[in-house]
Amino acid sequence: MNIDSRLEELIIKLYEVEGVKFGDFKLKSGIQSPAYFDLRVIVSYPQLMREVSQVLWEVAKNAQKFVSICGVPYTALPIASVMSVDNNVPMLIRRREAKDYGTKKMIEGKYEKGDVCLVVEDVVTSGSSVYETVELLNEYGLQVKDAVVLLEREQGGTERLKKDGVNLHSVITMTQLVRVLKKHGKIDEKMFDSVLKFVAENRFDKPTKGSGDIPANKAKAAMTFKERANLCSNSVSKKLLEIMEQKQSNLAISVDLTNCKDILQMVEQVGSKVCIVKTHADIIDDFNEEFVEKIRELAQKHNFLIFEDRKFADIGKTVLHQYKGGVHKIADWADITNAHTVPGAGVVKGLKKAAGNRQRACLLIAEMSSSGNLAKGDYTKATVEIAKENSDFVIGFICQHKLIDDPVFIHMTPGVKLGEGTDSLGQLYITPNDAISVNKTDVIIVGRGITEALDPVSEAELYRKAGYDAYLERLV
Ligand code: S5P
């Protein structure tokens, strides 16, 4: 049996014995959760116990050499016992409370100072119970380099333990669990979405940093664009993520040409390769209503969204008129626009008001690609807060790094070119792989890399593939 179907069977079995339940549960911490785990029940199913022990032993092969194993009390105690006996590896027992007579030892079993011990756990949420056991083993002179867990809830435990020097190896992640249960009709789409939303919103390591020093969100199992689309309440972000999945494209082209004919020609050529066409209406010499009609037709034909890169940056009252009125009447034709947050949240409120009932969305410029720009540190952090407070209209960021874990926010990165480099006016380029795979953003925005290429169509295909491949790599 291959590993995937073995894990699928295991997940279904855990569900059938009610080790995993779905509904509305109040956790010890007081928060409501759509999923609840009680894996103690495994002791009543010897075959399941053996299977759990075997899969944990399989992942333990990724650990550094160890001489003993120790289960976190209580659920993992019997699991560790089976692993110990089946694989002829010595076990240690960690006491919960010290005996009030005799030696008062908290660790039972035979060990030498400096021995490396593998910790075994059933479920990891924040990582704190694994760490308590690690600390105690350390007090007794044992080293812990790795821990194995059956279910990683993806709420920050892996990262927390890593910081404390312990590598956590998991058999199943929460995302895998709900994916399999949905696939087999055990939970519906709504429950699937609410579990993933719960996980994203209840991480113990929510990033608070807001600038270039943000660490890539490494261990969180990435969600697909489609899965994220299902979580979106703004219809524009939902549609965009669906297009990205359908067209296998997270490429936005920035068509910074200065006359309508050239722009429309370029868009007709590369439209099938992109999820977004980005414009700068105010650099078009002959901007007119016919252009608007034609580009909307092309958007229908090639299934992309239009993003007018207007970078609003004034008080709410002024941007309201700039967005819906003036020569360009942007709110009438662009699905997405963007804003600087230097004026504060009023800029977003003004744009939202101007959008009215139209299906529109806004990106906030949280970081920039240009050399010496000031969008960093506290400014970036404050921008993320404005986005969170206006998430019905703000669907994401113009940025260089992933800034927030919430899967409904889309991170778009300009200043992208195959081959990096700069231009003569301070633009700094990174590669598609750096943006998507390393910095964990979602969409690459490419201008001259495509529009100035000898063969823009082939070049667009190169960028599409580079961006999407980097995204697929992130999913693994
Ligand atoms: O920080 C930014 C934000 C934006 S929206 N840096 C940028 O370069 N942009 C825009 O992305 C810029 O206005 C231009 O339209 C595009 C980059 O074009 P390229 O030719 O340098 O790829």
Side-chain angles (χ1 to χ4, degrees):
M1 192 187 297
N2 73 32
I3 191 81
D4 287 347
S5 45
R6 185 175 175 192
L7 283 188
E8 281 194 20
E9 272 188 22
L10 176 62
I11 289 168
I12 290 165
K13 190 76 193 154
L14 289 171
Y15 173 82
E16 282 170 356
V17 303
E18 299 196 328
V20 190
K21 291 185 218 172
F22 296 89
D24 192 12
F25 304 95
K26 192 165 184 161
L27 302 182
K28 258 190 288 179
S29 56
I31 50 175
Q32 299 291 129
S33 166
Y36 183 74
F37 301 93
D38 183 2
L39 299 180
R40 279 170 296 202
V41 68
I42 296 176
V43 293
S44 303
Y45 302 90
Q47 266 187 345
L48 179 57
M49 173 65 85
R50 170 137 293 147
E51 177 63 6
V52 165
S53 310
Q54 283 175 354
V55 288
L56 278 164
W57 187 253
E58 285 299 314
V59 294
K61 290 181 182 156
N62 299 322
Q64 293 185 49
K65 203 166 179 309
F66 52 89
V67 298
S68 57
I69 64 174
C70 177
V72 177
Y74 289 99
T75 313
L77 271 180
I79 301 175
S81 309
V82 177
M83 289 168 75
S84 162
V85 173
D86 276 358
N87 302 289
N88 196 24
V89 58
M91 173 168 135
L92 300 171
I93 296 178
R94 181 208 147 174
R95 284 189 174 279
R96 271 271 193 218
E97 297 86 22
K99 296 189 289 189
D100 54 5
Y101 57 92
T103 59
K104 291 206 160 82
K105 255 168 74 179
M106 292 291 284
I107 300 289
E108 304 284 358
K110 196 171 172 327
Y111 55 88
E112 303 285 336
K113 275 208 165 25
D115 277 359
V116 177
C117 178
L118 175 84
V119 170
V120 180
E121 177 63 304
D122 60 332
V123 180
V124 162
T125 307
S126 70
S128 60
S129 45
V130 166
Y131 194 64
E132 271 172 33
T133 301
V134 172
E135 270 187 317
L136 195 70
L137 289 164
N138 290 161
E139 270 175 43
Y140 283 77
L142 289 138
Q143 302 183 62
V144 179
K145 295 182 174 164
D146 300 87
V148 290
V149 64
L150 179 62
L151 176 69
E152 213 293 59
R153 292 187 52 152
E154 298 170 300
Q155 286 172 249
T158 300
E159 297 79 355
R160 144 92 206 268
L161 288 167
K162 180 95 192 156
K163 273 193 206 137
D164 293 319
V166 178
N167 285 316
L168 183 68
H169 309 273
S170 58
V171 175
I172 304 165
T173 61
M174 185 81 140
T175 309
Q176 274 176 326
L177 180 110
V178 286
R179 255 188 215 152
V180 168
L181 292 176
K182 190 180 82 166
K183 178 176 157 195
H184 290 269
K186 307 288 184 197
I187 58 171
D188 61 15
E189 189 92 25
K190 205 165 150 229
M191 180 54 76
F192 174 79
D193 291 347
S194 77
V195 172
L196 292 184
K197 193 156 189 269
F198 175 84
V199 169
E201 286 173 355
N202 289 281
R203 286 180 66 87
F204 289 81
D205 64 341
K206 283 203 166 155
T208 50
K209 293 185 215 152
S211 64
D213 54 354
I214 289 165
N217 178 26
K218 294 189 203 84
K220 183 171 155 56
M223 290 169 74
T224 63
F225 293 142
K226 176 78 188 42
E227 285 162 357
R228 290 169 59 185
N230 293 335
L231 302 180
C232 292
S233 46
N234 180 297
S235 59
V236 177
S237 52
K238 191 179 183 67
K239 184 160 178 209
L240 175 58
L241 287 161
E242 281 168 0
I243 292 175
M244 287 157 73
E245 183 94 19
Q246 280 162 18
K247 292 177 78 175
Q248 304 204 342
S249 174
N250 51 349
L251 169 64
I253 184 169
S254 185
V255 195
D256 300 337
L257 306 173
T258 52
N259 72 75
C260 298
K261 186 165 155 273
D262 290 351
I263 296 172
L264 293 170
Q265 208 170 23
M266 180 63 67
V267 174
E268 173 69 289
Q269 284 185 74
V270 301
S272 64
K273 312 269 179 214
V274 302
C275 60
I276 287 177
V277 167
K278 183 172 84 62
T279 54
H280 278 298
D282 55 2
I283 66 168
I284 307 173
D285 296 330
D286 54 347
F287 180 89
N288 58 58
E289 273 178 25
E290 196 190 335
F291 168 77
V292 167
E293 258 171 50
K294 292 218 161 116
I295 198 162
R296 297 258 349 141
E297 274 168 31
L298 288 172
Q300 285 284 329
K301 177 174 167 192
H302 295 295
N303 196 22
F304 59 76
L305 297 187
I306 302 175
F307 166 16
E308 164 54 27
D309 187 3
R310 171 62 177 75
K311 295 190 180 69
F312 292 101
D314 213 322
I315 60 165
K317 173 79 169 43
T318 306
V319 298
L320 185 150
H321 291 293
Q322 288 174 323
Y323 184 30
K324 68 174 187 182
V327 181
H328 297 116
K329 300 185 178 43
I330 295 165
D332 283 347
W333 53 271
D335 303 288
I336 302 171
T337 192
N338 57 354
H340 285 296
T341 51
V342 69
V347 64
V348 175
K349 307 238 181 287
L351 293 173
K352 194 155 66 175
K353 193 159 180 205
N357 294 330
R358 302 173 179 95
Q359 298 191 347
R360 297 289 176 253
C362 179
L363 298 164
L364 296 183
I365 300 153
E367 293 177 317
M368 292 199 69
S369 61
S370 44
S371 161
N373 79 79
L374 307 178
K376 54 189 169 195
D378 286 344
Y379 182 85
T380 304
K381 277 188 210 168
T383 303
V384 172
E385 291 309 309
I386 294 175
K388 287 202 291 197
E389 281 154 23
N390 295 280
S391 61
D392 54 337
F393 182 58
V394 175
I395 60 164
F397 305 95
I398 297 292
C399 56
Q400 297 290 307
H401 307 84
K402 179 173 183 174
L403 303 173
I404 180 171
D405 259 341
D406 189 333
V408 302
F409 286 109
I410 304 171
H411 295 73
M412 303 195 191
T413 300
V416 172
K417 211 168 204 179
L418 288 162
E420 303 174 8
T422 58
D423 71 3
S424 60
L425 296 172
Q427 175 72 302
L428 302 176
Y429 289 109
I430 58 173
T431 64
N433 192 60
D434 282 344
I436 306 295
S437 189
V438 180
N439 294 353
K440 307 279 186 272
T441 66
D442 301 307
V443 174
I444 48 171
I445 300 177
V446 181
R448 286 163 287 178
I450 295 172
T451 56
E452 292 184 358
L454 283 177
D455 178 354
V457 180
S458 318
E459 205 65 14
E461 174 56 20
L462 282 183
Y463 277 97
R464 186 205 62 77
K465 188 164 176 344
Y468 205 75
D469 283 352
Y471 152 73
L472 291 177
E473 195 177 297
R474 207 175 71 188
L475 286 183
V476 181

